[in-house]
Amino acid sequence: MAKLTKRSAEYIGLEEFLHSQKQSRAGFTTTDGAGIIAEELLQPAEQLSNRVDLTKYVTEIPVNTTSGKYPFVKGTDSKLVSVAELEGNPELPQPEVIPISYSIATYRGALPIAQEVVEDADYDVVEVVVTNAKHADVNTKNDKIETLFKTATAQAVTGLDGLTTLVNGFKSAYDVKLFLSSSLFDTLDKMKDTTGKYHVFNHESSFPSGVSFKGHEVIKIDDTEIGTLAGDLKGFIGDSKQFIALFNRKLVTVKWNGNKDFSTPLLCSSRFDTKVADAEAGYYITYTA
């Protein structure tokens, strides 16, 4: 498990900010009175969470402006041609570009940390703050990604044969993954072959999730997140990196909510936008046996 570098300028700067509520000059910056948690601190904090981080499964695009247009290149058909072919037809093939308009939104919430806790703590306050801020950031982005998964073309899937046909039907250029509700994952995982052996999923896969279906990674998500109700047999199947673009300002900040008393909570904010890029890259499925 990665740990924070405690004597780095970023670490010391955040530590001083939490205690003094003032900007530190040693490698630490603020915006509108809020301290920016450096990416160098957030990256190790990812290892402290056992939560699925869906941002790793979409295309992340760092941006420096609050709004704009981005030319997302559809990756399924682009290719190069030989010089000889160009001599006969000098017009270069044009890749399919999907123009995406983004508008960065700011999301805020309180972390379960009060000023009095920071003042009295005999443990690593910076690690606690960074970890909680990272969790809040991931949870917020996961929610927006899951919401977009549900907007994909609806597809009814019947039985294991129907699931296999859908997965096999994608163009080979798509990196297909299966994001399944816990109930759907459980339903498929309990299927047995004629010898009584479980046979649908490979649980010794080299993928980050450790599970695959016919060579494609399987990611399990809570029913009420990828679906609506407990027991929903829902999922997104497709190339999630082609389907969703995450425009990220990479500004996770923390700020004390006023100075009235020591029980004042620590506020956290994150700035980003999520958009559907290639709508043909996936389906939102409802499974029936």
Side-chain angles (χ1 to χ4, degrees):
M1 180 172 66
K3 288 290 185 181
L4 306 182
T5 304
K6 296 185 177 182
R7 303 322 299 168
S8 69
E10 293 82 4
Y11 179 98
I12 296 172
L14 178 57
E15 185 177 47
E16 291 180 359
F17 175 83
L18 291 171
H19 284 281
S20 69
Q21 304 184 49
K22 295 180 180 179
Q23 180 176 358
S24 169
R25 296 180 180 178
F28 189 74
T29 57
T30 63
T31 176
D32 297 327
I36 299 174
I37 301 179
E39 189 71 12
E40 291 81 357
L41 297 179
L42 286 172
Q43 288 299 328
E46 291 183 19
Q47 304 299 320
L48 304 177
S49 173
N50 58 7
R51 177 80 193 272
V52 173
D53 183 356
L54 294 179
T55 65
K56 297 178 180 179
Y57 293 98
V58 301
T59 297
E60 183 175 350
I61 303 168
V63 294
N64 297 316
T65 58
T66 56
S67 62
K69 288 188 176 181
Y70 183 86
F72 188 93
V73 179
K74 190 172 182 179
T76 55
D77 299 315
S78 59
K79 59 184 178 181
L80 303 177
V81 296
S82 70
V83 174
E85 289 176 298
L86 289 176
E87 290 176 350
N89 182 8
E91 185 176 344
L92 285 170
Q94 297 297 316
E96 184 177 348
V97 176
I98 304 171
I100 304 175
S101 296
Y102 67 88
S103 180
I104 301 298
T106 300
Y107 299 88
R108 292 190 176 96
L111 299 180
I113 301 167
Q115 188 175 344
E116 61 183 357
V117 172
V118 171
E119 295 298 326
D120 300 335
D122 58 356
Y123 49 83
D124 191 341
V125 173
V126 171
E127 184 167 298
V128 172
V129 169
V130 172
T131 300
N132 278 276
K134 182 62 184 181
H135 287 187
D137 182 53
V138 167
N139 289 344
T140 305
K141 289 172 179 172
N142 277 4
D143 177 68
K144 301 305 175 184
I145 291 170
E146 290 156 355
T147 297
L148 289 186
F149 279 166
K150 297 176 187 179
T151 69
T153 300
Q155 181 69 45
V157 173
T158 303
L160 190 56
D161 284 347
L163 182 63
T164 301
T165 297
L166 179 64
V167 171
N168 290 343
F170 281 92
K171 291 182 178 180
S172 59
Y174 282 128
D175 182 15
V176 177
K177 299 182 185 298
L178 293 81
F179 299 83
L180 307 180
S181 67
S182 295
S183 291
L184 177 51
F185 183 97
D186 182 65
T187 296
L188 296 171
D189 199 30
K190 290 189 296 189
M191 290 184 176
K192 299 178 182 179
D193 60 20
T194 55
T195 67
K197 293 183 180 180
Y198 299 109
H199 68 108
V200 174
F201 294 144
N202 174 13
H203 286 274
E204 298 179 357
S205 169
S206 60
F207 288 114
S209 69
V211 184
S212 64
F213 172 76
K214 297 188 178 301
H216 302 278
E217 185 175 8
V218 178
I219 300 94
K220 182 172 63 173
I221 302 177
D222 289 347
D223 291 354
T224 55
E225 294 180 5
I226 192 66
T228 303
L229 303 173
D232 277 352
L233 303 181
K234 301 282 189 178
F236 172 85
I237 297 178
D239 187 335
S240 52
K241 282 187 175 291
Q242 281 288 305
F243 187 75
I244 293 179
L246 167 65
F247 297 92
N248 197 358
R249 281 298 302 273
K250 289 187 176 294
L251 288 178
V252 178
T253 63
V254 289
K255 178 181 181 181
W256 292 113
N257 187 23
N259 299 298
K260 293 182 180 179
D261 55 65
F262 283 100
S263 63
T264 298
L266 187 66
L267 301 182
C268 176
S269 70
S270 180
R271 305 184 70 191
F272 66 93
D273 191 16
T274 50
K275 295 290 186 182
V276 171
D278 180 1
E280 298 178 355
Y283 297 94
Y284 184 63
I285 71 162
T286 300
Y287 180 89
T288 54

